[in-house]
Amino acid sequence: MKRIDKVYQGLVTKWQAATKEEVLAKQGSAAKELAAELGLTRANTSLELNKLVRQAQVVKIKTFPVRYLPMIVIEQHFGLKQLDYYEVASLTALTKKPVKPTAKPEQAIKEAASEQVNQADPLESMIGYRGSLHNAVSQAKAALMYPPHGLHMMLLGQTGVGKTYFANKIYAYAKFAQILKEDAPFVSFNCADYYNNPQLLMATLFGHAKGAYTGADQEKSGLVEQANGGILLLDEVHRLPPEGQEMLFYFIDNGVFNRLGESQKKRHAQVLIICATTENPDSAMLATFLRRIPMSITIPALDERPITERIELAHFLFQTETKRIKRALSVKRSVFEIILNEDNYGNVGQLKSQIQLTCAQAFLNSMGEKTTISVTDNDLPEKLRQSWLAVSRAERKQSDLSRYLKSQILIEVGQPSLDKLDNEENIYSTIETKVHKLRAEGINEKEIHQYIMTDLHLHIKNFFKQEINEENFSKFVDPAAIKLAEKLKLIAEEEMDLRFDASFIHYFSLHLDAFFKRGSKNDLLMSAEIENIKREHGLEYQVAKLFQTEILKETGTAIPDIEVIYLTMLLTSIESMSATKKIGLLVVAHGNSTATSMVNVATELLGKGNIDALDMPLTVSPSTIYEQMKAKVRELNQGKGVLLLVDMGSLGMFTQKLAVETGIPVRAVQNVTTSIILEALRKVNYIDMDLNSLANQLRRDFIKNFAVQEKSTGKKRAIVSICMTGSGTALKLKKLIEGIIRKTTTENIEVKTVSALKMSESIPPLAKEYELIATVGTKEPSVAVPFISLEDLIASNGEARLEAIIRQQTPPAKEKQSQSNVVVSQMCEDILNEHLVYLNPRPVNQMLQNWLEDLSRRLKLELSNSQQIACIVHTAFALERASHQQPSLNYDETPSPELLELLPVVKQTLDHAVSSLKLTLPQDEYYFIVETVIDNQR
C-alpha cells in the first residue's frame, strides 16, 4: 500500500464511525496525532494530507493546530458532496455556507464555458481556478495589484505544467483589469539560449549601440526596452548565468539601464518581470537576484490536481480536437477512464498527445463519413489498451467515472471553448490531404493506413520536443523496434568507441518502426550522393552495414542498400547531436554495494547520466581498486574530465596518479553522500560547467561535509571581505567577520577588505601572501575557495558555515565564549543605537537575545538571523514606547488560538528577561510581540 493510501485509510478509519457532535467538537485529526497512530513521521504525514486536500478527498480545517477530515465524513454528516475550496476556517463556518448542488463535470464544463462569454477575467477562465490553481491565481492577482507597479514573480513547476500558459494569462488579466494598457507588450525570452555568452546576453536583454562589437553595424533595442510598459517573461531562468542575474537586478532596483557600448546615456523602462523555472531557485540562482523576485507561485503537476479537474482538462482537449476536425465527437466514458487511469503523465502536454493520437486514429477510421466521429477504446494507442487490460477489477472500480460522466459524451464543434485554440499545425488537414493524394496514386487502404500512422507517430515525437522516458516512448513505437534499437546501440558504441544517450534509442526506434510499417523505400538518393556519403562517413557506413546484418538476423527482414545509406545518415546526425560532452562522475566507496546503492538512488530520481559506481570491498587490495578506477575513468571520459566522488581520503589520493597515467583531467570530492551525488548529477545533466568549477561548487555547497584535500601551505590564513566600494559597508562587514573569528578560534586569522570592482587586481596578491580560506561579501570572486554572500551571512546560515570553515584545520578556542550569534548581536546593536533614545541599546540588546534564546529553547524554534533580528528589534521598540509612556500599538483583531496558546510563555520569558528595566507592557504590545514570533517561525 502506498503511503498516501495508508494516510487516507487511517484518517477514514478514525472518523467514519464518529458522530456529528464528535466531529464538530474535535474538527478532525492533526498531522502529528495521525502520524503517531500510523507510525509515520509528522513531515511525511503532513505532505500526504496536503496532497489529499488538493485531490478533493480531504478537507483542511485551519485551526491551531491545523486539522484534517475526510470528505466522505463531511458528506455523511453535513450532506455536502463538493466544496468550492477544500481549506476552511472551521467546520461551523462550512456548515453555514451555502453550497451549490453538485453538478457532473460535463455539465459544469458547459456552464463554465457559457459563462466565459459574459465573464472576461482571463485568470478565472482556467480549469481549476477555484481548486488547484486557486492559490496561484490569488497570488498572481495580488502581485499585479501591489503598488506602485506590481511585484515581480517566479513561476515554479515541472516541465509542461503550463508556466508559460499561466504567464500569458497573467498578461491578459493585467490588460483586463486595466493595470496594463491594451497595447502593452508581452516579450518572452528563453535564458538557455545565451547561457555561455554573457556579452550576447547583455546585448539581447538591453540592446547595443552601433559599433559595440564586431558585426554591430547599427544600434538595436533590447528585450527590456521592447517590454517597456508591459511584461518580460524569462523562461528557464535557472539557466541565466550570474552575470546576467546581476545585470537584471541592477535594472530591477533602479529602472535604469545602458545599451551595450553606451557609457553616458541612461535609459529608463518600467517592466514587470515574470520568471519561470523547473529548478529549485535557492540552489540554482543568486540570493541577491531571488530577493528581488518576492512572489513565488507554484503551478501544480497534473497528478496533483483532483480528478474533477483532470476530467475537465481531458474534455477541453477533446473539445480542441473538434475545432481541428470540424466534426463533433462522441466519446465513450471508458475512453476517459482508460486515459485518466494512466499514471505516467508528467504534464498536461503528455495528456494532450494521448488524446490527439486517439482522435487522429478515430478520424482515420471514419474517413469519408460526414457524421459525428465515434471515439471508442479501439482508437486508443495499443500500449494504453494493453495497460488497461492488465489492471485488476478492483483498480478498474476505483477508476470508474460514472458519478461524473454519462456513458457517452457528445462534444460538439459549436460548444464555446474555455480557451483559444493554439497555433500548432493542424495534423488532421495534413492527414486528409495526404490520404486523398495517396488514393489518387492508387495506393491500397492498408498501405495508406501505415503511411499515415507513421507520420502521426513522428508528429507526436516532434510535439514533445523533450526527452521522453522509455515507458512513455513505448506508447508511440512498437516495443520490438525499441529492443532492436537497443542492440544496435551496443554495436555502435563498441565499434565507434562512443557512448550514446537515450536519443539514439528514440530516433532509431522511430526510423525502424517507420521502415517496417512502410516496407522498402524507393531509391531517393542519386548514386553520386551515395558514394559521397560512403567516402565522408566511412566509419558510420561500416557500422550501418553491421546494422544491416543484425536486423536480418533479428527480424528476418532484408535491408536494402539504400536503407543502409539512410541508417548512415541517421547515425551521423545522432553522433553530432551527442557532441555535447559531459563530465564523468565516478562514485567510489568502501563496502560491497555502498557506491552502487547511492548511484542507483540518484539515477532513479534524476535519470541516467554519465555516472558509474565502483564498490570497494574491504578484502580487495588498493592496487586492484586503483586499476579498476583507471578503467572506469577511461570509460567515463568524454573529453571534459572525470570527477571522483569518494568516501575516504585514501581514495582521493589516487587523483594525481590517475590524471598522469590516463592523460585525463581528474578531480576528487571526499566524504560523499547521496545528496552530494544528486547535486553533482543534476549539475552535470543540466548545467554546462567545467571540471574545476563543478568540484569547487560542490565543495561550497556542502562545506560542512567536505574535508579540504589540499595540505596546509604554511601561510597565514585569511578571509577576504568584499563590498562594492571597499569601504563603509565593507568595514562593517569586516567587523562582523572578526567577531565570528574571535568566537570560533584563538588563531589570528586576518580579514582583508577589497572592492568588488577591483577583485581581479586585489585578490591574486593576497592569494600569494596568505592561505585564503573563504570570501565573504556582495560578489563572488573567481577563486577556488568557499564564498558566503552577505545575504547568507545576515539572513541565513552563513555564520554557521563560516565557523565550520574556520574550524576545519584549527583547534577550538581555549576559553569558550558566549554562543550568542555575532551577526545578530552586532546588527541589532547598530539598529538600536540609531533608533533608541531613552533606553541603553547594549544592555537591552543583550537582554532580548537572552530572552529569545530562552523562548526558542522552550518552544523548540529554529530562527534564522533575519528572523531573530525582526523579533529583537520589534520588542526593543515596544520597550522604548513603554519607558517614556508613549502611545502603545492597538491590536484591533481577535487573537487567534495560536496566539493565545503562545502568549503565556512569551509573556513569562520576556518579563523575566527585562525585569531589571521595571517596565510594564500593555496587553496589546504583547499581542504584537507574539504575532512577530509566529510570523517568523513559519
Side-chain angles (χ1 to χ4, degrees):
M1 180 185 290
K2 291 183 180 179
R3 188 173 65 198
I4 190 170
D5 298 327
K6 183 178 180 181
V7 170
Y8 180 67
Q9 197 59 48
L11 193 65
V12 170
T13 302
K14 181 169 182 179
W15 290 101
Q16 202 163 24
T19 64
K20 183 175 182 179
E21 290 70 23
E22 290 173 334
V23 170
L24 285 171
K26 296 185 179 179
Q27 305 263 321
S29 294
K32 186 176 180 181
E33 298 168 359
L34 191 60
E37 293 168 6
L38 299 176
L40 300 172
T41 66
R42 180 192 174 281
N44 285 337
T45 306
S46 178
L47 176 71
E48 304 301 352
L49 284 168
N50 280 288
K51 283 183 182 177
L52 290 166
V53 171
R54 289 192 291 269
Q55 293 171 10
Q57 296 186 62
V58 168
V59 176
K60 185 175 185 177
I61 299 108
K62 299 173 77 172
T63 56
F64 180 78
V66 174
R67 296 187 173 273
Y68 300 87
L69 202 62
M71 192 61 203
I72 59 172
V73 175
I74 299 288
E75 183 178 349
Q76 177 183 333
H77 291 302
F78 306 108
L80 303 176
K81 295 182 179 180
Q82 187 176 337
L83 306 178
D84 289 337
Y85 193 51
Y86 288 82
E87 294 183 18
V88 296
S90 70
L91 284 182
T92 307
L94 181 65
T95 56
K96 292 178 181 178
K97 185 178 179 180
V99 179
K100 292 169 68 175
T102 302
K104 292 195 171 188
E106 57 187 299
Q107 179 186 343
I109 292 163
K110 291 181 181 179
E111 292 174 357
S114 61
E115 285 174 9
Q116 289 307 308
V117 176
N118 303 315
Q119 175 179 310
D121 186 331
L123 284 171
E124 294 187 3
S125 72
M126 294 185 296
I127 293 169
Y129 86 94
R130 288 183 178 173
S132 64
L133 293 178
H134 177 81
N135 285 343
V137 168
S138 298
Q139 286 178 289
K141 288 185 176 181
L144 285 170
M145 298 289 187
Y146 197 86
H149 303 298
L151 296 176
H152 304 298
M153 291 169 254
M154 177 79 72
L155 303 184
L156 309 173
Q158 300 173 13
T159 300
V161 296
K163 298 185 292 297
T164 303
Y165 172 82
F166 192 81
N168 277 277
K169 287 295 182 182
I170 293 174
Y171 167 64
Y173 175 79
K175 293 195 295 181
F176 162 74
Q178 298 182 348
I179 298 168
L180 295 179
K181 295 180 180 178
E182 189 60 37
D183 60 350
F186 180 88
V187 179
S188 180
F189 174 63
N190 191 312
C191 300
D193 292 346
Y194 303 103
Y195 176 72
N196 288 319
N197 194 331
Q199 185 186 48
L200 191 55
L201 172 70
M202 185 174 181
T204 303
L205 284 174
F206 299 109
H208 61 76
K210 183 178 180 180
Y213 54 86
T214 304
D217 299 327
Q218 56 185 7
E219 66 174 10
K220 184 180 178 182
S221 63
L223 298 178
V224 167
E225 207 165 339
Q226 294 168 26
N228 187 23
I231 290 176
L232 174 61
L233 171 62
L234 300 177
D235 202 5
E236 294 191 73
V237 72
H238 58 275
R239 301 296 301 274
L240 195 66
E243 298 93 331
Q245 295 178 44
E246 289 173 356
M247 294 175 202
L248 271 173
F249 71 61
Y250 179 81
F251 167 69
I252 290 171
D253 284 348
N254 302 285
V256 174
F257 66 96
N258 300 96
R259 289 180 178 176
L260 185 64
E262 288 182 340
S263 57
Q264 302 297 325
K265 187 174 183 179
K266 296 288 185 183
R267 298 178 180 270
H268 297 264
Q270 182 60 53
V271 178
L272 183 68
I273 295 176
I274 301 177
C275 302
T277 179
T278 57
E279 298 289 303
N280 177 358
D282 293 332
S283 63
M285 307 193 70
L286 296 177
T288 46
F289 181 74
L290 293 178
R291 188 158 51 84
R292 291 162 170 84
I293 310 293
M295 183 65 79
S296 292
I297 301 175
T298 300
I299 310 299
L302 186 62
D303 61 359
E304 294 175 339
R305 302 181 73 163
I307 186 62
T308 50
E309 288 184 18
R310 281 181 277 161
I311 292 173
E312 284 190 67
L313 282 167
H315 192 287
F316 169 70
L317 294 172
F318 276 116
Q319 175 74 55
T320 301
E321 299 309 301
T322 65
K323 292 191 172 186
R324 294 193 179 94
I325 305 170
K326 296 184 172 58
R327 286 160 68 185
L329 295 174
S330 178
V331 187
K332 287 187 66 175
R333 181 173 65 219
S334 57
V335 171
F336 278 85
E337 291 171 345
I338 295 171
I339 287 177
L340 296 178
N341 176 70
E342 183 65 36
D343 59 1
N344 291 318
Y345 302 139
N347 52 53
V348 179
Q350 287 173 295
L351 174 64
K352 177 180 180 179
S353 70
Q354 292 284 29
I355 289 175
Q356 193 175 46
L357 189 58
T358 301
C359 290
Q361 179 68 65
F363 177 80
L364 191 60
N365 292 340
S366 64
M367 284 294 295
E369 299 177 13
K370 300 295 183 183
T371 57
T372 297
I373 295 175
S374 178
V375 183
T376 68
D377 301 358
N378 291 330
D379 298 314
L380 291 162
E382 178 65 22
K383 185 65 184 290
L384 264 186
R385 284 187 282 132
Q386 293 300 325
S387 176
W388 179 250
L389 291 174
V391 171
S392 67
R393 182 173 297 179
E395 289 177 307
R396 288 193 188 190
K397 190 172 181 181
Q398 288 182 351
S399 301
D400 179 34
L401 301 180
S402 59
R403 62 179 291 196
Y404 302 109
L405 297 170
K406 298 175 183 177
S407 60
Q408 200 78 20
I409 300 93
L410 180 64
I411 305 174
E412 299 174 359
V413 182
Q415 288 181 2
S417 172
L418 294 180
D419 213 330
K420 292 181 180 180
L421 180 63
D422 53 16
N423 294 322
E424 69 179 72
E425 173 192 359
N426 191 336
I427 186 65
Y428 303 102
S429 298
T430 305
I431 291 174
E432 196 158 23
T433 302
K434 185 165 285 190
V435 166
H436 289 313
K437 187 175 180 181
L438 292 173
R439 281 178 178 164
E441 293 176 1
I443 308 296
N444 65 48
E445 292 296 322
K446 184 176 180 181
E447 289 182 347
I448 289 175
H449 189 275
Q450 289 175 343
Y451 272 95
I452 297 303
M453 289 310 296
T454 301
D455 284 346
L456 186 58
H457 290 318
L458 293 170
H459 170 81
I460 295 297
K461 168 64 179 168
N462 183 59
F463 169 78
F464 279 118
K465 293 183 181 176
Q466 60 190 40
E467 187 174 306
I468 309 167
N469 64 50
E470 297 303 323
E471 191 166 358
N472 282 332
F473 187 66
S474 62
K475 296 169 188 173
F476 306 109
V477 177
D478 188 339
I482 295 176
K483 288 182 180 179
L484 181 56
E486 289 170 349
K487 291 183 178 180
L488 300 184
K489 179 173 177 282
L490 294 175
I491 293 171
E493 288 179 337
E494 183 177 351
E495 295 296 325
M496 302 175 71
D497 195 24
L498 288 173
R499 295 184 68 176
F500 293 102
D501 60 19
S503 62
F504 184 103
I505 306 294
H506 295 157
Y507 290 108
F508 265 86
S509 298
L510 281 166
H511 184 79
L512 292 170
D513 193 48
F515 172 77
F516 290 134
K517 288 177 179 175
R518 291 184 174 183
S520 299
K521 291 178 177 285
N522 294 322
D523 287 359
L524 302 178
L525 295 176
M526 306 293 283
S527 58
E529 292 174 315
I530 293 174
E531 291 305 317
N532 188 45
I533 289 170
K534 288 181 182 180
R535 183 175 58 255
E536 291 187 3
H537 306 290
L539 176 58
E540 290 81 1
Y541 177 73
Q542 293 303 321
V543 174
K545 292 289 286 183
L546 294 176
F547 288 175
Q548 183 184 35
T549 304
E550 183 67 20
I551 293 169
L552 178 61
K553 173 185 167 186
E554 290 291 326
T555 67
T557 302
I559 299 293
D561 289 340
I562 187 63
E563 182 64 20
V564 176
I565 296 300
Y566 280 108
L567 292 174
T568 303
M569 294 165 63
L570 184 57
L571 186 57
T572 303
S573 299
I574 294 174
E575 186 180 4
S576 64
M577 285 172 59
S578 301
T580 304
K581 308 299 184 185
K582 295 185 181 297
I583 296 167
L585 299 175
L586 178 59
V587 180
V588 189
H590 291 78
N592 294 331
S593 61
T594 307
T596 300
S597 298
M598 289 192 289
V599 169
N600 286 344
V601 171
T603 53
E604 284 178 18
L605 291 173
L606 297 179
K608 295 181 180 179
N610 192 25
I611 184 171
D612 206 346
L614 180 58
D615 297 309
M616 185 176 172
L618 299 178
T619 55
V620 179
S621 68
S623 59
T624 303
I625 287 294
Y626 174 74
E627 291 302 321
Q628 292 176 352
M629 289 173 69
K630 188 159 65 172
K632 292 280 189 183
V633 165
R634 284 178 172 145
E635 287 178 21
L636 288 168
N637 182 47
Q638 295 184 359
K640 295 191 71 173
V642 176
L643 181 65
L644 304 181
L645 301 171
V646 301
D647 66 342
M648 292 190 190
S650 59
L651 294 173
M653 292 168 62
F654 289 143
T655 305
Q656 189 172 0
K657 188 178 179 182
L658 283 168
V660 171
E661 293 190 8
T662 63
I664 296 168
V666 179
R667 291 289 301 274
V669 169
Q670 300 180 27
N671 300 333
V672 67
T673 62
T674 304
S675 60
I676 292 173
I677 296 171
L678 284 168
E679 186 63 11
L681 184 58
R682 185 187 73 81
K683 282 181 164 63
V684 166
N685 279 350
Y686 303 112
I687 302 175
D688 186 17
M689 302 179 75
D690 60 57
L691 182 61
N692 287 333
S693 298
L694 176 62
N696 292 332
Q697 187 67 54
L698 288 173
R699 288 178 181 174
R700 291 172 193 158
D701 290 348
F702 300 96
I703 189 66
K704 291 184 179 180
N705 300 329
F706 291 156
V708 178
Q709 290 183 22
E710 290 74 23
K711 296 180 179 178
S712 175
T713 60
K715 299 177 184 177
K716 191 172 184 179
R717 300 206 301 163
I719 296 172
V720 179
S721 166
I722 301 168
C723 197
M724 290 305 294
T725 60
S727 60
T729 305
L731 296 176
K732 188 171 289 187
L733 177 59
K734 179 180 179 182
K735 184 180 175 184
L736 282 176
I737 297 170
E738 288 173 340
I740 295 170
I741 293 171
R742 287 193 298 272
K743 168 186 168 183
T744 308
T745 182
T746 55
E747 181 183 353
N748 184 21
I749 299 175
E750 292 197 21
V751 180
K752 294 295 179 180
T753 300
V754 301
S755 165
L757 303 176
K758 299 180 179 179
M759 289 191 303
S760 59
E761 303 167 17
S762 305
I763 292 181
L766 291 176
K768 289 181 180 179
E769 184 179 354
Y770 297 91
E771 181 187 348
L772 302 183
I773 62 171
T775 57
V776 183
T778 55
K779 188 172 183 181
E780 183 174 2
S782 299
V783 290
V785 295
F787 171 72
I788 299 170
S789 70
L790 181 60
E791 286 77 10
D792 281 348
L793 189 68
I794 294 173
S796 187
N797 65 341
E799 183 175 349
R801 287 178 59 207
L802 187 56
E803 288 177 12
I805 294 168
I806 293 169
R807 289 195 182 103
Q808 202 77 55
Q809 294 178 330
T810 60
K814 292 179 181 177
E815 293 182 10
K816 191 172 181 180
Q817 298 178 15
S818 167
Q819 292 302 303
S820 62
N821 189 308
V822 175
V823 173
V824 172
S825 179
Q826 293 198 11
M827 293 292 293
C828 288
E829 191 165 324
D830 287 346
I831 295 170
L832 299 184
N833 275 331
E834 185 175 346
H835 293 285
L836 294 190
V837 177
Y838 303 103
L839 295 178
N840 188 332
R842 180 169 292 180
V844 168
N845 182 24
Q846 189 58 55
M847 288 176 192
L848 293 180
Q849 283 190 67
N850 294 339
W851 160 65
L852 200 56
E853 185 179 341
D854 183 23
L855 184 67
S856 299
R857 186 174 60 253
R858 294 197 191 194
L859 298 180
K860 297 180 180 178
L861 300 178
E862 291 186 8
L863 301 177
S864 69
N865 288 356
S866 60
Q867 292 167 338
Q868 293 179 55
I869 291 168
C871 292
I872 290 171
V873 171
H874 176 90
T875 308
F877 289 172
L879 293 171
E880 173 83 350
R881 285 190 291 271
S883 70
H884 202 60
Q885 298 181 343
Q886 294 176 352
S888 66
L889 301 177
N890 292 320
Y891 192 85
D892 298 328
E893 301 179 14
T894 302
S896 68
E898 184 178 9
L899 186 151
L900 295 175
E901 183 176 337
L902 293 181
L903 180 63
V905 66
V906 171
K907 191 174 187 301
Q908 180 190 355
T909 53
L910 181 58
D911 288 348
H912 176 73
V914 301
S915 57
S916 61
L917 297 177
K918 295 183 170 45
L919 294 174
T920 303
L921 290 175
Q923 188 75 357
D924 281 8
E925 292 282 15
Y926 281 114
Y927 283 157
F928 277 110
I929 292 170
V930 177
E931 284 278 14
T932 305
V933 173
I934 292 172
D935 288 344
N936 283 287
Q937 69 173 319
R938 287 172 178 159

